[in-house]
Amino acid sequence: NAGVTQTPKFQVLKTGQSMTLQCAQDMNHEYMSWYRQDPGMGLRLIHYSVGAGITDQGEVPNGYNVSRSTTEDFPLRLLSAAPSQTSVYFCASSNRGRNEQFFGPGTRLTVL
Amino acid sequence: AQKITQTQPGMFVQEKEAVTLDCTYDTSDPSYGLFWYKQPSSGEMIFLIYQGSYDQQNATEGRYSLNFQKARKSANLVISASQLGDSAMYFCAMREGVNSGNTPLVFGKGTRLSVIA
């Protein structure tokens, strides 16, 4: 199993550009989520999904879109990047009845 | 409202000594799970230990133990016999709904542990 994979590892954008951060898992997990990590702020939940076709907002959803068309994939879209979105982004997944949440390696995004 | 509080931004410990990292939480759900993750300088999130609200005994995993005091709503991580490789950020997290993989994990702001030789 590859676990949770994220691409790209690093990305630099200009203000106003759009991009999609990819997240995939091969563990057949129902639950997937996106977090952003900023210095001194811990990990804050952006969006999450409890299954294909179902998504919900977390603590800091503004400026981000998600969709979940398959169990495996949960992409995060930035429609118009802003410098405030400079952060490290983590995708995570888990299953019902399993307590551990598995994390991807993270994507470091810089918006200039 | 913040549900997880880690009051120690940074901690120092001598190698081979034990250290306690504090975590308090807030929830009205009687069924919840508490987690600790380690984030070394390389950036990955490493799961350390889990405690369910209905678990009768404190969780232990090797050198890690969780000092669970339900009435005080605290879930402190104890690392015994610290090693240089324990230097990292440590995050406490909570999920409401025991055995539910489908609720968000909420994190504290973390504690940076530095182990001194």
Side-chain angles (χ1 to χ4, degrees), chain B residues 13-84:
Chain B
V13 65
Q14 203 76 32
E15 198 178 7
K16 300 179 185 175
E17 297 291 313
V19 63
T20 298
L21 306 184
D22 294 341
C23 173
T24 57
Y25 60 90
D26 184 33
T27 180
S28 56
D29 191 330
S31 159
Y32 53 89
L34 296 155
F35 303 74
W36 278 91
Y37 281 84
K38 173 183 178 181
Q39 186 180 43
S41 58
S42 52
E44 72 267 34
M45 295 291 288
I46 302 169
F47 168 74
L48 294 178
I49 197 166
Y50 168 83
Q51 178 87 43
S53 60
Y54 294 126
D55 293 344
Q56 295 297 313
Q57 294 192 333
N58 286 348
T60 59
E61 290 286 347
R63 294 187 299 110
Y64 304 108
S65 60
L66 201 152
N67 184 1
F68 181 45
Q69 298 189 41
K70 197 169 182 176
R72 299 176 70 175
K73 294 190 174 179
S74 76
N76 298 340
L77 177 70
V78 181
I79 306 174
S80 63
S82 296
Q83 302 171 356
L84 295 177

Side-chain angles (χ1 to χ4, degrees), chain A residues 55-110:
Chain A
T55 63
D56 206 347
Q57 297 181 351
E59 180 187 354
V60 288
N62 291 344
Y64 307 95
N65 264 357
V66 292
S67 59
R68 182 100 179 266
S69 55
T70 67
T71 300
E72 294 78 20
D73 300 298
F74 191 44
L76 178 72
R77 296 183 188 86
L78 284 70
L79 299 177
S80 179
S84 61
Q85 293 178 305
T86 294
S87 188
V88 179
Y89 291 84
F90 287 99
C91 179
S93 74
S94 64
N95 220 354
R96 190 187 298 275
R98 292 292 302 273
N99 299 313
E100 179 182 352
Q101 185 159 236
F102 295 83
F103 282 83
T107 294
R108 185 174 293 275
L109 175 68
T110 301

